[in-house]
C-alpha cells in the first residue's frame, strides 16, 4: 500500500504543476512566467546551442538577422543568416518583435543602397502555443524542415511572404491572427495545415505553392485570398466561415477539392481556375455573387443542396448562376 501511495503522490504533484502552468498561460497576466531577454537567446544561438524554452516571457526584439557570426553575403544587396540550431518555444509570450527579415541602408555619401537580410533555418523551428504581442516577420525565410506554429496567437501584423520550406509537415493548427496575416508567394514542398485557424482581418495566401492544404473549420471574418495558387495535391476547405470576399481565381488545383458545408457571406470568385480532380461544394451557402468565368472543371462538380442566395437546383446552377465551361 505504501508503495502505491508513494507512486501516486509524484504523479499528482506533476499533474497539479501542469495545471498551474496551463492556468498561467491562459491568463493575460503573464507575471508568473519566467523572463528571458531576447539578446540572451541570440547569444546562445551564436555559441551553437539549441534553444528550448517553455512557459517564458521573451523581452525585447528577437531579431535573428543580428547574428552576424552566421551571416554571409549572398549577393551585393542580399545577406543571409544561417541558423543550424533547433528552436523550440512552447507556451511563451513574445513582448517584442520577432524578425527574420530586415533591410539597412549601406554605402558612402555618394552612393547608397538597401541591403536586405534574410534567414535560413537548418533545423526544427517550433513556436507551439505562443503569444506574439508585436509584429512577426519571416519574409523570405527558408526552412530545411517543417515549421510549427500550432495554437499561436498573433496580436499584430504577421507576414510569411516568399518563404520556402522543405519539410513535409507545416502546421498552423488553431492559429489566431488578430491583425493582417500574409503568406504571399510562398512555397511548400510538403503539406500545409491551417485547420481551425481564426483570422480577424483578411488572410492572404495569394500565389502560394503547396502539396496538400488543410483549411477546414477555418474562420475568416474579413475574407480570404487564395488566388494564383498552385496545389499539387488536395485542398480541404470544409465547414469554413468566410465573412468577406474570397478569391480562388487564376489557380491550379491538381487534386481533389472539398468545400463541404461552407458559409460564404461575400463575393466568391473561381475565375479562370482549373480543377483537375473531383470538386465537391455540397451543402455550402453562397450568400453573394459567385463567379466561375472561364473556369475549367475536368470532372462535373458535386452541387448537392448548394444555396446561392436561395435554394436552387443543379440545372439552374449550371445554366445560369454558376456557369461551368467544360
Amino acid at each position: 500500500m505504501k508503495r502505491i501511495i508513494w507512486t501516486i503522490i509524484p504523479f499528482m504533484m506533476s499533474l497539479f504543476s501542469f495545471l498551474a502552468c496551463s492556468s498561467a498561460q491562459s491568463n493575460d497576466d503573464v507575471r508568473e512566467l519566467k523572463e528571458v531577454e531576447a539578446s540572451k537567446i541570440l547569444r546562445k544561438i551564436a555559441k551553437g546551442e539549441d534553444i528550448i524554452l517553455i512557459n517564458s516571457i521573451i523581452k525585447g526584439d528577437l531579431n535573428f538577422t543580428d547574428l552576424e557570426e552566421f551571416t554571409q553575403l549572398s549577393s551585393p544587396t542580399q545577406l543571409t543568416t544561417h541558423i543550424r540550431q533547433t528552436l523550440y518555444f512552447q507556451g511563451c509570450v513574445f513582448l517584442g518583435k520577432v524578425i527574420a527579415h530586415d533591410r539597412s541602408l549601406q554605402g558612402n555619401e555618394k552612393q547608397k543602397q538597401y541591403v536586405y537580410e534574410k534567414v535560413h533555418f537548418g533545423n526544427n523551428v517550433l513556436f507551439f502555443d505562443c503569444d506574439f504581442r508585436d509584429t512577426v516577420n519571416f519574409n523570405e525565410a527558408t526552412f530545411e524542415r517543417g515549421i510549427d506554429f500550432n495554437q499561436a496567437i498573433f496580436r499584430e501584423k504577421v507576414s510569411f511572404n516568399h518563404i520556402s520550406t522543405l519539410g513535409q509537415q507545416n502546421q498552423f493548427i488553431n492559429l489566431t491572427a488578430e491583425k493582417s496575416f500574409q503568406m504571399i508567394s510562398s512555397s511548400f514542398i510538403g503539406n500545409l495545415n491551417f485547420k481551425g485557424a481564426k483570422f480577424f482581418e483578411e488572410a492572404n495566401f495569394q500565389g502560394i505553392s503547396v502539396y496538400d492544404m488543410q483549411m477546414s473549420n477555418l474562420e475568416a471574418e474579413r475574407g480570404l485570398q487564395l488566388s494564383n495558387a498552385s496545389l499539387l495535391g488536395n485542398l480541404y476547405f470544409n465547414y469554413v466561415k468566410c465573412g468577406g470576399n474570397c478569391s480562388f481565381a487564376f489557380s491550379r488545383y491538381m487534386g481533389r477539392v472539398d468545400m463541404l458545408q461552407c458559409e460564404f457571406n461575400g463575393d466568391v470568385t473561381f475565375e479562370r481556375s482549373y480543377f483537375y480532380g473531383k470538386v465537391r461544394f455540397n451543402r455550402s451557402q453562397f450568400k453573394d455573387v459567385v463567379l466561375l468565368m472561364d473556369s475549367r472543371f475536368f470532372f462535373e462538380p458535386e452541387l448537392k443542396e448548394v444555396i446561392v442566395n436561395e435554394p436552387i437546383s443543379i440545372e439552374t446552377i449550371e445554366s445560369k448562376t454558376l456557369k461551368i465551361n467544360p
Side-chain angles (χ1 to χ4, degrees), residues 144-157:
E144 286 192 18
R145 301 190 181 181
I147 53 179
D148 190 329
F149 283 84
N150 286 344
Q151 298 180 210
I153 300 176
F154 297 100
R155 311 282 183 174
E156 296 295 334
K157 181 180 178 181

Side-chain angles (χ1 to χ4, degrees), residues 51-157:
I51 302 300
I52 301 176
L53 283 175
I54 299 174
N55 297 340
S56 302
I57 301 173
I58 316 301
K59 300 180 66 177
D61 293 343
L62 184 60
N63 190 343
F64 295 109
T65 67
D66 286 343
L67 291 164
E68 297 180 359
E69 302 90 338
F70 301 151
T71 300
Q72 298 177 349
L73 187 66
S74 305
S75 71
T77 59
Q78 181 74 67
L79 293 170
T80 302
T81 300
H82 297 268
I83 298 176
R84 306 193 185 281
Q85 288 72 32
T86 293
L87 304 180
Y88 182 99
F89 299 92
Q90 180 178 337
C92 294
V93 178
F94 294 83
L95 299 182
K97 299 176 182 178
V98 177
I99 302 168
H101 183 268
D102 210 346
R103 72 172 186 174
S104 57
L105 192 60
Q106 298 184 10
N108 53 39
E109 294 183 358
K110 294 182 178 180
Q111 185 176 8
K112 290 186 177 182
Q113 63 181 358
Y114 279 109
V115 175
Y116 294 86
E117 301 175 61
K118 65 178 183 179
V119 179
H120 173 81
F121 296 93
N123 216 317
N124 296 314
V125 176
L126 188 146
F127 291 84
F128 177 76
D129 193 24
C130 289
D131 186 341
F132 299 90
R133 301 294 176 89
D134 209 327
T135 56
V136 174
N137 185 346
F138 279 88
N139 289 346
E140 296 190 26
T142 54
F143 301 86
E144 286 192 18
R145 301 190 181 181
I147 53 179
D148 190 329
F149 283 84
N150 286 344
Q151 298 180 210
I153 300 176
F154 297 100
R155 311 282 183 174
E156 296 295 334
K157 181 180 178 181

Side-chain angles (χ1 to χ4, degrees), residues 7-33:
T7 304
I8 292 175
I9 288 174
F11 170 77
M12 295 302 294
M13 291 177 65
S14 300
L15 178 60
F16 289 141
S17 176
F18 172 79
L19 292 174
C21 290
S22 299
S23 176
Q25 286 176 252
S26 62
N27 197 320
D28 286 337
D29 186 356
V30 296
R31 289 174 295 179
E32 296 182 23
L33 305 183

